[in-house]
Amino acid sequence: MKYEWRKQEKNLYGVKQTPIIVEVPKQKFILVKGKGNPNEVDFSDRISALYSLAYAIKMLFKNAMKNKTDNEITDFTVYPLEGFWKKVNGEELDKNKLEYTLMIKQPDFITQEIFTKALENIKKKKPNALYDEMSFREIEEGKSIQILHVGSYDEEPKSFERMNEFARKRDLTRIGNFHKEIYLSNKNRTSEEKQKTILRYSVK
């Protein structure tokens, strides 16, 4: 049986272009931190390395489950890329000063042991210094507001304003100086006006 996040986790990923409140549970991620302009090569290099590790984890799990029964999960769909971005307050956005954490969610059944083994495998098969910067962590975002943003990343402020208005009406306060972006579209295969991105931040 294959675990597919689009079908199994609609509460988190089946988002519309209207703000909603969602309770985000503790989740497992592989992640790598970075700084600077997301249009630079270093950013795309980090994404590529992260995906290589994600698929190494998937293949390790799939091979280990080859002889299991139909009732057990023997494979899973790799989750989409996500990122935490530090919020820029009251100043002109300078992409060169951005700080971010790129991550790919892992199913609950992926363990630290599987991560460590997959990391060892990918280091041997496809050496890359960026693998030394990657880690496996649990993150709990808790009560959050999220919305589906369709279009250019540069137009995200419009969606954030709708989220902020939604929060104000419900007397909710944003927590922290960062937000989450979940990239449902492949940037290289989707026209800018059709790109789908989930925007989320925690509230209290």
Side-chain angles (χ1 to χ4, degrees):
M1 184 170 70
K2 188 172 186 178
Y3 186 88
E4 299 183 68
W5 55 269
R6 284 186 186 274
K7 294 178 181 177
Q8 310 297 119
E9 300 178 46
K10 289 183 179 178
N11 61 317
L12 293 178
Y13 297 101
V15 190
K16 307 296 184 186
Q17 289 176 269
T18 304
I20 60 168
I21 296 171
V22 62
E23 191 68 35
V24 185
K26 188 179 289 184
Q27 302 174 94
K28 297 177 179 179
F29 293 93
I30 54 172
L31 51 88
V32 62
K33 295 187 176 184
K35 291 181 180 180
N37 194 320
N39 295 313
E40 298 294 333
V41 174
D42 181 67
F43 182 77
S44 55
D45 284 349
R46 289 173 187 275
I47 293 174
S48 296
L50 198 61
Y51 267 112
S52 293
L53 177 56
Y55 278 98
I57 291 171
K58 170 187 165 76
M59 293 312 298
L60 184 66
F61 176 79
K62 189 175 178 180
N63 289 334
M65 301 298 287
K66 268 182 181 175
N67 300 318
K68 300 297 181 179
T69 66
D70 290 340
N71 293 327
E72 292 184 83
I73 295 172
T74 55
D75 191 11
F76 64 92
T77 304
V78 171
Y79 282 80
L81 178 72
E82 307 187 21
F84 277 129
W85 294 87
K86 283 199 76 169
K87 183 185 171 194
V88 180
N89 274 318
E91 57 184 82
E92 199 68 29
L93 175 62
D94 184 349
K95 291 184 178 181
N96 296 312
K97 293 181 181 178
L98 286 172
E99 294 181 17
Y100 56 83
T101 303
L102 296 171
M103 58 187 72
I104 296 176
K105 185 179 169 182
Q106 300 300 299
D108 290 339
F109 47 81
I110 296 300
T111 62
Q112 177 74 45
E113 184 181 3
I114 293 173
F115 163 78
T116 301
K117 181 62 178 172
L119 189 59
E120 289 173 4
N121 291 346
I122 198 71
K123 280 182 176 180
K124 292 174 186 173
K125 187 177 179 182
K126 203 175 180 180
N128 187 329
L130 288 172
Y131 293 132
D132 292 329
E133 298 182 36
M134 295 186 182
S135 58
F136 182 74
R137 279 183 54 199
E138 285 190 331
I139 298 172
E140 186 172 2
E141 295 171 62
K143 187 176 184 179
S144 304
I145 294 175
Q146 65 180 25
I147 193 173
L148 178 67
H149 173 78
V150 180
S152 164
Y153 301 135
D154 291 336
E155 296 193 357
E156 286 180 358
K158 295 178 184 177
S159 291
F160 277 116
E161 183 47 48
R162 294 176 67 190
M163 294 168 72
N164 295 341
E165 180 63 24
F166 180 86
R168 282 193 292 269
K169 286 181 177 178
R170 287 154 184 80
D171 202 24
L172 295 170
T173 305
R174 181 171 176 168
I175 301 172
N177 62 344
F178 58 86
H179 70 272
K180 167 75 73 77
E181 299 189 3
I182 304 173
Y183 308 102
L184 300 180
S185 305
N186 184 324
K187 183 182 176 183
N188 299 322
R189 297 179 191 167
T190 311
S191 59
E192 198 174 60
E193 68 273 11
K194 293 182 179 179
Q195 286 176 2
K196 294 182 178 180
T197 309
I198 295 173
L199 306 178
R200 178 194 295 157
Y201 56 69
S202 299
V203 294
K204 63 180 178 179

